[in-house]
Amino acid sequence: MLHRALRQFLALLLLALPTLLATAGDQIIWGRHHVPPYMIREGEWAQQGIFDLTLGVIREHLPQYDHVDLSAPFPRVITEIRKGSHWCYIGALKTSEREAYAYFSLPTSIFLPLRVIVRRDRQSQFRSPQSLQALLQNRQLTTSVMRDRSYSPTVDRLLAAYPPRENYSEQVEAISMLLAGRIDYMIELPLLAFYQASVMGHPSELVAIPTQEADEVVFNRVMCPKNEWGRQVIEQVDKVLVAHRDKPYYRAIVQRWHDADSAAEIRKLYDSVFLKTP
């Protein structure tokens, strides 16, 4: 009797399994963390970051998926994607190392060049433009970089050659250390650094110094695991991007939060480079 009941249960489970798998396959977990003004997870401007809004466009036009937000530090997101979990992330840079375990969409937004960020009261200690290699070689000065982050091709090569001693998981942590004098400089996007410092009550206390080596504009993308599920998600994401990136409202999202000069630079790149980059 018991064996018959067990067999019936297994038969029902096998019948239900395709439905259960289809449901699981239709869910995307979006790894999210607080990186204003790109991802804004709290406060007055919550969900109004550049990545938040570009992801909103994608989600709106992919109703076939159940979209789930999950707060997680960036290293955790990378770990889940490496494992092949049904996680994706918007805002990743495509690198050859990441392409070993992830698929990438077309560009979703633009990062203007990285800068050396320092406290204004210490600006005279740095050159302009500043050699990033010389800074990283100088063991008297301390910086910190985000674990598993790709900064740009040039900066990544320099960090691999001269790895900093400290790492962080959340940008707010590093900005706090810089303002407090616990690190001497950061390699960061001015928009991100200045916004975060202002939110923390320290407007105008940081300055951005150009580098001699890295003046690259790089593009953010959706990143999903390198498996059949991830390939299908990226294929659908790309269809949405092709249909919407040239529209005025999407252009406005990519320029959002930038000052007038930076927005003008983005406009120069938009049609000639951004929309043509595979």
Side-chain angles (χ1 to χ4, degrees):
M1 190 74 169
L2 180 60
H3 289 163
R4 181 184 300 173
L6 181 59
R7 286 197 298 271
Q8 289 175 340
F9 171 77
L10 290 174
L12 289 171
L13 183 61
L14 288 172
L15 287 173
L17 190 57
T19 302
L20 292 172
L21 290 174
T23 302
D26 288 339
Q27 183 184 84
I28 303 174
I29 297 175
W30 293 97
R32 309 291 293 279
H33 53 109
H34 190 56
V35 197
Y38 293 96
M39 281 187 192
I40 307 177
R41 305 295 292 150
E42 56 193 48
E44 177 184 0
W45 298 103
Q47 308 302 324
Q48 295 301 305
I50 296 168
F51 295 168
D52 298 318
L53 296 172
T54 50
L55 179 56
V57 174
I58 292 168
R59 291 166 65 136
E60 179 184 354
H61 294 92
L62 294 182
Q64 65 269 40
Y65 292 99
D66 178 20
H67 300 274
V68 177
D69 283 352
L70 188 61
S71 295
F74 187 65
R76 164 83 190 284
V77 176
I78 290 292
T79 296
E80 292 296 339
I81 291 175
R82 279 181 180 274
K83 286 164 50 179
S85 304
H86 288 188
W87 282 52
C88 293
Y89 180 81
I90 189 166
L93 303 190
K94 182 167 70 172
T95 68
S96 56
E97 188 268 335
R98 287 178 175 174
E99 285 185 291
Y101 60 84
Y103 287 120
F104 290 85
S105 73
L106 294 169
T108 58
S109 58
I110 298 172
F111 273 164
L112 294 177
L114 292 154
R115 297 288 185 248
V116 175
I117 309 295
V118 302
R119 285 186 359 192
R120 187 175 296 277
D121 61 359
R122 297 188 59 185
Q123 185 175 2
S124 62
Q125 297 176 240
F126 299 83
R127 297 177 178 274
S128 184
Q130 171 66 56
S131 168
L132 187 54
Q133 179 173 330
L135 273 185
L136 292 168
Q137 287 177 313
N138 185 347
R139 309 310 281 180
Q140 301 300 313
L141 296 176
T142 303
T143 190
S144 183
V145 294
M146 176 180 274
R147 285 190 293 275
D148 294 320
R149 177 180 174 181
S150 175
Y151 285 80
S152 75
T154 298
V155 174
D156 288 349
R157 284 194 294 271
L158 288 170
L159 291 174
Y162 311 102
R165 293 188 295 267
E166 297 194 25
N167 295 279
Y168 63 87
S169 296
E170 300 284 353
Q171 266 87 358
V172 64
E173 174 187 349
I175 298 292
S176 297
M177 290 193 296
L178 180 62
L179 289 167
R182 290 165 51 202
I183 59 175
D184 300 296
Y185 67 94
M186 287 183 65
I187 305 161
E188 193 49 270
L189 301 161
L191 177 61
L192 189 156
F194 295 163
Y195 181 95
Q196 188 62 58
S198 180
V199 168
M200 296 168 67
H202 299 275
S204 304
E205 289 191 24
L206 300 180
V207 294
I209 301 173
T211 69
Q212 291 179 8
E213 303 92 342
D215 203 33
E216 299 153 307
V217 173
V218 294
F219 304 117
N220 310 293
R221 303 167 187 264
V222 171
M223 173 172 61
C224 297
K226 194 166 189 178
N227 53 30
E228 181 58 20
W229 177 86
R231 188 195 65 77
Q232 291 181 15
V233 172
I234 292 298
E235 183 179 273
Q236 297 303 311
V237 167
D238 279 349
K239 290 178 181 178
V240 174
L241 294 173
V242 167
H244 294 273
R245 287 187 308 166
D246 64 344
K247 297 186 182 301
Y249 81 92
Y250 195 101
R251 293 170 183 260
I253 292 172
V254 176
Q255 296 174 39
R256 188 179 176 87
W257 297 107
H258 290 85
D259 59 59
D261 289 343
S262 297
E265 188 172 351
I266 288 173
R267 286 195 293 274
K268 288 179 185 177
L269 296 165
Y270 206 95
D271 291 287
S272 60
V273 182
F274 178 67
L275 292 182
K276 293 183 179 179
T277 298

